[in-house]
Amino acid sequence: MIDQHGKTDLLIARLKESLPIEANIASPLAKLLAEKSPDTPIPAKCNVTSVFYTGDMGGIICGLDIGGPNTETPHLVSITHLTFHRHVPLSREIEAYQRHRTKKLRPQQDRGY
């Protein structure tokens, strides 16, 4: 088991109550999003407008509002690919989830899964 389901469920509930949440888009993610939506300029910041849980294998997924002409196309990314400013009320809980998930996934990546 990768995620701690009780803690993850609580985090998701708290995230949903706090939407929208401002997030930072790191340059590797911005490059990938730009490839998927070449007509939409990818900003350095966006709003997380939805969150849902895809189970242990996918974790918490965030729906992003990056603006632009193609806003009806959802941009869905793992919460582990986003960063959040310290002023975001749940930033510590998000960061703890990200660290835990990354730590648990690392051995699987090393084995080639």
Side-chain angles (χ1 to χ4, degrees):
M1 185 162 33
I2 297 170
D3 291 327
Q4 299 168 330
H5 291 287
K7 287 184 177 181
T8 302
D9 292 343
L10 181 60
L11 177 58
I12 291 169
R14 294 185 69 202
L15 286 168
K16 286 181 178 181
E17 291 172 359
S18 301
L19 294 174
I21 301 169
E22 186 176 86
N24 301 312
I25 300 176
S27 57
L29 177 58
K31 183 178 177 183
L32 181 65
L33 292 173
E35 289 172 8
K36 301 264 184 205
S37 301
D39 297 334
T40 304
I42 306 301
K45 295 178 188 265
C46 67
N47 283 321
V48 173
T49 57
S50 61
V51 293
F52 52 96
Y53 188 62
T54 60
D56 247 8
M57 293 309 291
I60 298 174
I61 301 296
C62 297
L64 306 181
D65 177 7
I66 60 170
N70 213 5
T71 56
E72 68 275 353
T73 302
H75 295 279
L76 304 174
V77 300
S78 171
I79 198 168
T80 59
H81 294 293
L82 298 170
T83 59
F84 298 84
H85 193 274
R86 297 260 181 230
H87 78 275
V88 171
L90 296 172
S91 65
R92 287 186 178 167
E93 291 92 335
I94 294 168
E95 189 175 324
Y97 173 84
Q98 291 171 323
R99 277 194 317 269
H100 174 80
R101 185 160 178 84
T102 302
K103 180 180 174 183
K104 290 288 190 173
L105 287 173
R106 192 167 293 127
Q108 290 182 7
Q109 291 171 342
D110 292 343
R111 289 188 296 234
Y113 292 119

